[in-house]
Amino acid sequence: PPVQAGIAHATSDIVAFIDDDAEALPDWLERLEGHYADPTVGGVGGRYVNMRAGCEVVYPAARVAGRFCWYGRVIGNMYKEVAGTEAREADFFMGGNMSFRRCLLERTPLDLRLNRDVAFNYEVDLGLRIQALGFRNIYDPLAKVKHFSAPRPNAGLRAPTSDSIYWHSHNLLYITLKHTGGARRWV
């Protein structure tokens, strides 16, 4: 997978990820990097601004971003404005706007059991695994990238086929079971 190849070739202390059809705002790297002054921070991500015909797609504002609920619900919302502009803790980031300490990525290789169809929710698993190492993930809504949706074949839930629905459900259940235990797992 391309993300795994990028990690393997990285030499800096921080590894940042952006999609091939996205453009970082001029202060993007500076915003991400600033949070790493705190040694408890393992990952930093930001907002994913969807663009259509040169204009930002406006969505209703969200109260929560980047949360994984113990019962398996994933609340992303990283393409929406959130209440306030202050950075806040998150469980995971959107793959097209995330960064991590390289030393932590080396300790938490990507789980290739999630690498089917379009690798649904691999970012959720990665963020939770960074937290399991005792580090915090910070979501900075001002660390923005503009996403221009390059023309490409419909894949994943953009084309809801029985395969894509199966792999999305498989990965979500797998991640939920992997990151919950005890009575919560049985629920």
Side-chain angles (χ1 to χ4, degrees):
V3 173
Q4 191 173 20
I7 294 167
H9 287 91
T11 58
S12 63
D13 291 338
I14 308 300
V15 181
F17 301 88
I18 186 171
D19 283 346
D20 62 354
D21 58 356
E23 171 188 319
L25 268 59
D27 65 344
W28 179 64
L29 284 175
E30 182 180 335
R31 286 198 151 287
L32 295 178
E33 184 180 33
H35 295 286
Y36 288 104
D38 180 341
T40 68
V41 172
V44 182
R47 184 158 173 251
Y48 206 67
V49 180
N50 284 316
M51 305 294 289
R52 187 175 298 130
C55 298
E56 179 180 342
V57 178
V58 179
Y59 300 95
R63 292 182 314 205
V64 178
R67 285 287 166 221
F68 175 77
C69 301
W70 66 268
Y71 51 87
R73 182 173 180 209
V74 173
I75 305 170
N77 290 337
M78 285 165 269
Y79 55 92
K80 296 180 175 183
E81 290 283 351
V82 292
T85 58
E86 67 281 347
R88 63 209 63 199
E89 289 197 39
D91 296 322
F92 64 92
F93 312 114
M94 192 168 240
N97 187 357
M98 64 182 186
S99 66
F100 296 96
R101 293 184 188 275
R102 183 170 51 92
C103 63
L104 299 179
L105 290 172
E106 290 170 350
R107 291 172 54 189
T108 56
L110 297 179
D111 187 338
L112 295 180
R113 287 173 282 202
L114 298 168
N115 194 30
R116 299 287 193 276
D117 201 41
V118 293
F120 293 107
N121 293 320
Y122 84 92
E123 309 97 320
V124 176
D125 181 60
L126 182 57
L128 294 172
R129 291 172 65 207
I130 296 296
Q131 287 180 323
L133 292 173
F135 291 86
R136 298 182 312 126
N137 292 318
I138 302 296
Y139 174 72
D140 184 341
L142 297 179
K144 298 178 183 179
V145 299
K146 293 180 179 180
H147 177 237
F148 295 94
S149 286
R152 59 183 90 219
N154 278 342
L157 291 181
R158 292 180 185 150
T161 65
S162 58
D163 280 348
S164 66
I165 292 168
Y166 172 83
W167 286 113
H168 181 269
S169 300
H170 170 275
N171 286 8
L172 186 56
L173 179 60
Y174 174 73
I175 290 166
T176 302
L177 293 173
K178 183 175 175 180
H179 294 284
T180 57
R184 289 182 174 179
R185 179 175 282 179
W186 292 106
V187 171

